[in-house]
Amino acid sequence: MFWLPSDCDITQKGYEKKRSKLIRAYVPHPGGTLIHSLSSSRTQCMEGLSHRPFFPPPSAARFHRRRSSGTRDERYRSDVHSEAVQAVLARHVESKVAVPMPSKRRSLVVQTSMDAYTPPDSSSGSEEEAGLGDDMPGMEHWMTRPALLGPAHLGSTSSSSSSTQSGGSGNAGRLADSLAHTHLSHPHLAHRHIGTIARNTQRYGNAERMETGDGVPVSSRVSAKIQQLVNTLKMPRRPPLREFFVDDFEELLEVQQPDPKQRRPEGAEMLAVRGEALGVVTNWPPSLEAALQRWGTISPKAPCLTSLDTTGKPLYVLTYGKLWSRSVKLAFNILHKLGSKQEPMVRPGDRVALVFPNNDPVAFMVAFYGCLLAEVVPVPIEVPLTRKDAGSQQIGFLLGSCGVTVALTSDACHKGLPKSATGEIPQFRGWPKLLWFVTESKHLSKPPRDWFPHIKDANSDTAYIEYKTCKDGSVLGVTVMRIALLTHCQALTQSCGYTEAETIVNVLDFKKDVGLWHGILTSKGLRSEVICPCASSPEALTVAIRRPVEDSSQPPGRGVLSMQGLSYSVVRVDTEEHLSVLTVQDVGTVMPGALVCVVKPDGVPLLCKTDEIGELCVCSVATGTSYYGLTGMTKNTFEVFPVASGGGLVSEYAFVRTGLLGFVGPGGLVFISGKMDGLIVVSGRRHNADDIIATALAVEPMKFIYRGRIAVFSVTVLRDERIVVVAEQRPDSTEEDSFQWMSRVLQAIDSIHGVGVFCLGLVPANTLPKTPLGGLHLSETKQLYLEGGLHPCNVLMCPHTCVTNLPKPRQKQPEIGPASVMVGNLVSGKRIAMASGRDLGQTDDNDQFLFLSEVLQWRSQTTPEHILYTLLSSRGAVSSSLTCLQLHKRAERVAALLLERGGLQEGDHIALVYPPGIDLIAAFYGCLYAGCVPITVRPPHPQNISTTLPTVKMIVEVSRSACVMTTAVICKLLRSKEAVATVDIRNWPPVLDTDDLPKKKSPVLYKPCNPDALAYLDFSVSTTGMLAGVQMSHNAVGAFCRSVKLQCELYPSREVAICLDPYCGLGFVLWCLCSVYSGHQSILIPPVELESNPALWLLAVSQLRVRDTFCSYSVMELCTKGLGLQTEALKARGLDLSRVRACVVVAEERPRMSLTHSFSKLFKDLGLHPRSVSTAFGCRVNLAICLQGTSGPDPTTVYVDMRALRHDRVRLVERGSPHSLPLMESGKILPGVRIIIANPETKGPLGDSHLGEIWVHSAHNGSGYYSGYGEEVLQSDHFTSRLSFGDTSTVWARTGYLGFLRRTELTDASGERHDALYVVGALEEAMELRGMRYHPIDIETSVIRTHQSIMECAVFPWTNLLVVVVELEGSEQEALDLVPMVTKAVLEEHYLIVGVVVVTDIGVIPINSRGEKQRMHLRDGFLQDQLDPIYVAYNM
């Protein structure tokens, strides 16, 4: 036997040279005869299913020329199939539909082109690889046919040459000072502020904009791409399957509708096919060992095996005599030289591993027969090259389960194994501890003359174990008995007509499968008349083989089959004119002594019909016996009893499943159409991975695919299998090459196979995991894809094409209307969702005052030395403080400044531009003393004045401020060159510096007389980026402070730590108002100080023994991330949080349970009680509706069905249920506050546990939005709404937030059952997609969980497309890994197809001072092409 090494990654040209050298002596003439070929897969030709006249063979010159031009994998080669693919693609050229191409940062393009490329061996390189013609069509031809939605990404653009500098997410200074300067729009005037800031200092510049259909200004560049995508998606595409599941409350129902195009088998039930009888030859040896002994003694000098080098020259000739003597010597050493005489390491029946390289068949053959003679069971495996080989761990599991403790290897292989520093072979991952034993004769002891191996007749003992890698990557050991081994050799000898002195040329792996059987166990003559393919599997050994024939005019059986029929497992003969056809060639007839039938692959093994594709099953002695150690799997594979339609068994003997798909044609010819491991079932149709690979390789493989390396597998997405194609691209491929090839592949697969590709990824050359023989390791590749570790350089998602089973949106049910029966507080049989806090009573002395300025004057007289405010520095030291008297006197001087220098009058508006501190408080009360209306404004950021100053200017203009009060430092900043270049200083109102206050106080303090008069304006930016000013009257301020005082039990003896921004909402009220009203001491901690000292807030709470503290989500997140690894150090510094009674997070959104739980868990060891952490809820119309306070039941948590929420319904489920969403109560309802849940459309009341808009009635509601220009107030009903039926007299304010009330089993302080309010999300942020309402936070939570490199996420809709922006923490190489993971997660959890995925640097998503994402501002930045994204993927 001649053997050619097969471990090198050989190119086609190199293979042709070696093959021609080897067979030159055996080929009679170069006139075009074909060569014998052994193959375990089908061959593809274009002929009918019968014995038709055979075409004349092509000339040798044409044969060589055609096959040396590419580097594709020859398993998938078919010229006619390539022509069909090119014909399909030619049809698409006529349809000129532009498709948006992904945007990629230039640095990413440069990195991915050559970094990961490993140059191939020069010995296997093809000379013609680099000299290919450049005949690709231009960009205008990269089109898609309208009927297919075939994505054709046209290339790649670069957003910029490099990324702008990105700040970290932990930059609390900018977080506090400048992040709220975001997209601004007055609710009535729609002022849009474009130049706003994200968490880093990059600015979204003012790009030239254009108007789209909905009037939103966008950049022409990005919006044009999105418009292309929208136009493409509107085009007619393949109609969706009539398979869908109804998104229902109780369960998801999957309704299977029969496909009208489905082909069904029409033939009769097949009969089992029996092979010829196995002939009995009298002189056949009784076992394989006996055969070796016979030939080793009778013909000791006859050549048994000749090993050739890579040039075709003989390396070594092994004779039968040498094989016998060496095998005997090795058998003796295995049994007697391993271990001791009393405790030998290896006994007969034990398993040993054979680890030999692919270039040493001689040593392997000696070791294999040595094991047979020693009666031990060889387990041939591949040589481990590194400790992290692909699939190596699974091989180790097999060795461990087999109890292998000894590994036989060659001397050269032993030297080449990886070694540790001490020279020992390390234990490979997952492998048992092995003794490595070298089998060369010089290392072995000579056996005694009287020792001979015990040679028995073939029996049912295990001869060897062959490993098999399954589709999921697991490795199984197939056991083959000695009788099966002998019978198999006899059957092969009879089938192939083997005789003595014939020769076989083996280029296969000699350690397993066909290479082992023909190369090691038998010998074969080379015939040059016909191709002789065979079908085999590890379980059934050889299933069928075509017999050599002398008459070359007799053609083999071929069939041109319909691809659509095959997808329904039906055999339908088609013609060559159709493009969607597959040509298969027979693999011969059944082996001698075997019985073969075809059964249905799934379920009960029912016999198939004659025109039906099924799995081949074999009943024969010459098959495997079991999967070693796996009795359950063995029963399902090796003990199968096929059943006829009548219920009877085909045979009383068990059959073995081969794992091969096919059918038996005319004349008993066996046709193989694929393998079970390569089967992909999509929407009930079956596709073969090899067929898809062949189609992909037919699309210009020489120009693009690196050595034909393509992996095709399926992943489960939304209850169905989706096809994923991953290929290695050549290192010299351009972006244009990539997207042209990708688009053409998608078109070809769609047209020929009638199936869409979910994801098509391209990776750099030599980066996919390889098998030991150089092929792609499919399961490892799939695992990398699922884990986000492929690092592709180009990726294309096509969910719109292949996901056709999205749930149908449920029609909105009619809500309760005025005609509903109302009995007391019941609506339609349920209690009306209405709740209220306790009553506001007047119990204290200060409750007699109607105005806050009067309260301050009263406190300055009664408790002048009582400290109201203490401001802490970044080091935790007290930087300044204010007593009641000090605050009163400073306020008087501020009032004098306003009246003297400002010349202001009663009711004028004053903009207070101060950093967080004491000056802001004094200025506020100075305005009240002067009868003016203060507006607190965040000062511009010194390092980013060009972006933040326009926001200040806009608030000053919108509020109609008569003057600006600030500090000397900010005055100087406003007059700086950069500020003057940004904003025209001449348009500013007068700016007063309060660092230089007049010595004398104001002669007369203003005494307000109307409690409903305006006290101050509360300007803030909503989460949608809109700037709104809310009017707060004196009456509302007094009621607000009294409500907070009662809820939190605030008295002069209390201390409260406040780490909030003092510019709007509840943060401003707690910072400036509550201490004056209640008399407690407020410890002020500016969030900006946490930038340099993240532990400042918690250390202050601990050292000052504070029981109540307030913070924002941004502060809590900063502490969680910044102090996560410092808890032990903080504990050593004495940090103790056990005294904290209430830690309240102030926000205008749904409580972030994950963050609050992480915070509680992290600081639990420092004494923080989880029940002390709670949330407050406020909005524009009412700055504080709920606040946990100090008394009352703990916050409750419920779990609701996320699917029901999409239909505006509440369905409570158990924790851990599928699609469950945890919602935490937003705090207790404040005293004096009434809440009702109303339908936002009909304005009718809703029942308990029904989702609707939260309406609030309270004395501290805002008076309305401020419109300084006198226009009609568009949102007047926000503050003065009435129910359409029921209690129509009460005036309510609409919060704009969806939520529900639920009566719990807990009781409040008054003994009544507690009503809990659960906030779901803002109405203006909710996205209406596919007829359902989605809240961005739910989708963002799913996306963040998909990959550890995703730091933050934001979503927003655009022209019915969902855009997902993710921030990447890590290498830019990981950017494209996120695209398929994000798309899959949103599909699985929310039934939405992501339209655009944007991967950016950290800090791009803008966040305001309360830690809330500014999604609409992010949308504007994306559409104006200002994000500098790493990658933008437009999903098709």
Side-chain angles (χ1 to χ4, degrees), residues 19-30:
R19 184 184 61 81
S20 60
K21 286 183 180 179
L22 285 171
I23 65 175
R24 186 175 297 132
Y26 305 98
V27 178
H29 58 84

Side-chain angles (χ1 to χ4, degrees), residues 825 832-836 1232-1238 1243-1245 1255-1259 1261 1276-1294:
N825 281 337
I832 287 181
M834 182 185 299
S836 60
V1233 175
R1234 289 174 59 195
I1235 288 175
I1236 194 168
I1237 306 298
K1243 300 185 180 180
W1255 288 16
V1256 59
H1257 173 79
S1258 167
N1261 279 1
S1276 59
D1277 66 330
H1278 283 197
F1279 296 88
T1280 57
S1281 291
R1282 297 178 190 271
L1283 293 173
S1284 58
F1285 65 95
D1287 179 11
T1288 57
S1289 59
T1290 305
V1291 177
W1292 302 88
R1294 302 179 62 172

Side-chain angles (χ1 to χ4, degrees), residues 1190-1358:
T1190 55
S1191 61
D1194 294 341
T1196 57
T1197 300
V1198 296
Y1199 293 84
V1200 299
D1201 192 329
M1202 197 185 307
R1203 299 165 300 177
L1205 278 184
R1206 297 173 194 149
H1207 301 281
D1208 293 339
R1209 297 172 188 172
V1210 176
R1211 179 186 176 221
L1212 300 181
V1213 294
E1214 295 294 326
R1215 179 180 182 180
S1217 300
H1219 301 278
S1220 62
L1221 173 70
L1223 293 177
M1224 188 169 72
E1225 182 184 355
S1226 296
K1228 303 299 176 287
I1229 301 173
L1230 280 169
V1233 175
R1234 289 174 59 195
I1235 288 175
I1236 194 168
I1237 306 298
N1239 186 307
E1241 281 97 23
T1242 66
K1243 300 185 180 180
L1246 296 176
D1248 192 61
S1249 295
H1250 277 61
L1251 188 68
E1253 186 180 7
I1254 303 169
W1255 288 16
V1256 59
H1257 173 79
S1258 167
H1260 64 263
N1261 279 1
S1263 306
Y1265 288 123
Y1266 176 73
S1267 175
Y1269 296 93
E1271 285 91 349
E1272 186 67 28
V1273 177
L1274 301 178
Q1275 289 89 353
S1276 59
D1277 66 330
H1278 283 197
F1279 296 88
T1280 57
S1281 291
R1282 297 178 190 271
L1283 293 173
S1284 58
F1285 65 95
D1287 179 11
T1288 57
S1289 59
T1290 305
V1291 177
W1292 302 88
R1294 302 179 62 172
T1295 63
Y1297 282 82
L1298 290 174
F1300 62 94
L1301 279 168
R1302 178 173 176 267
R1303 177 154 285 186
T1304 66
E1305 298 299 324
L1306 306 174
T1307 55
D1308 54 23
S1310 62
E1312 299 291 333
R1313 287 179 64 184
H1314 170 61
D1315 292 310
L1317 174 66
Y1318 300 93
V1319 178
V1320 174
L1323 265 170
E1324 60 183 0
E1325 276 202 331
M1327 303 179 294
E1328 291 281 346
L1329 297 169
R1330 302 187 64 251
M1332 295 176 281
R1333 195 193 309 271
Y1334 289 88
H1335 297 277
I1337 183 65
D1338 297 328
I1339 300 176
E1340 290 161 1
T1341 301
S1342 300
V1343 171
I1344 290 175
R1345 286 200 305 256
T1346 59
H1347 198 279
Q1348 61 182 1
S1349 296
I1350 299 178
M1351 285 299 295
E1352 191 55 270
C1353 168
V1355 303
F1356 53 83
W1358 177 250

